Amino acid sequence: MEAPQNEDQLVEMLFRNGTLTVVGILMSFSLSFLTQWANNPLPWELVDLPTLLLLSVGIIAQGISLALLLRHNSLQRRFYDKASKWFLLGILLTVSGVISAIVIDFIQLVA
């Protein structure tokens, strides 16, 4: 009886390192956007709470992905795939937060 192939497959270290670089760079962009948004001269209101939540949870998910990719077992395919899913979730949430911020600011300017 053969062992499942998914457990034995390894990701090349060079590929994993490239992914690690991308995760780190995009996470820094996300953090800088959150910093820029926090320094916005417009006062915060309750309507900004969904944006803050989306950005924060997205950055946390990206951080989890980074932590998973820094582990030794991230060269195993199933752990690498798990980290990739966390990263994609983080990017999706962060982009949703950015869009939310743009829409809320636009509505406040128009009203």
Side-chain angles (χ1 to χ4, degrees):
M1 189 164 163
E2 293 182 27
Q5 282 187 344
N6 200 20
E7 290 181 19
D8 294 334
Q9 289 181 340
L10 295 178
V11 175
E12 289 185 38
M13 186 173 293
L14 186 62
F15 187 76
R16 198 263 331 233
N17 290 345
T19 303
L20 196 58
T21 302
V22 169
V23 169
I25 290 171
L26 289 178
M27 187 173 172
S28 69
F29 281 132
S30 300
L31 287 168
S32 65
F33 180 82
L34 182 63
T35 302
Q36 189 71 23
W37 183 72
N39 291 325
N40 189 351
L42 297 174
W44 285 22
E45 297 178 12
L46 193 57
V47 73
D48 295 321
L49 189 59
T51 300
L52 180 62
L53 287 173
L54 286 169
L55 288 172
S56 299
V57 173
I59 291 170
I60 289 169
Q62 290 177 43
I64 291 170
S65 173
L66 184 62
L68 290 171
L69 285 170
L70 288 172
R71 298 180 63 163
H72 290 290
N73 62 1
S74 68
L75 289 174
Q76 294 176 357
R77 182 65 185 237
R78 62 184 173 159
F79 292 108
Y80 177 84
D81 289 343
K82 181 179 178 181
S84 295
K85 288 177 185 176
W86 273 105
F87 178 68
L88 292 175
L89 175 66
I91 290 295
L92 178 67
L93 290 170
T94 305
V95 167
S96 299
V98 170
I99 292 170
S100 170
I102 292 169
V103 168
I104 290 171
D105 285 349
F106 179 74
I107 290 171
Q108 287 177 342
L109 288 175
V110 172

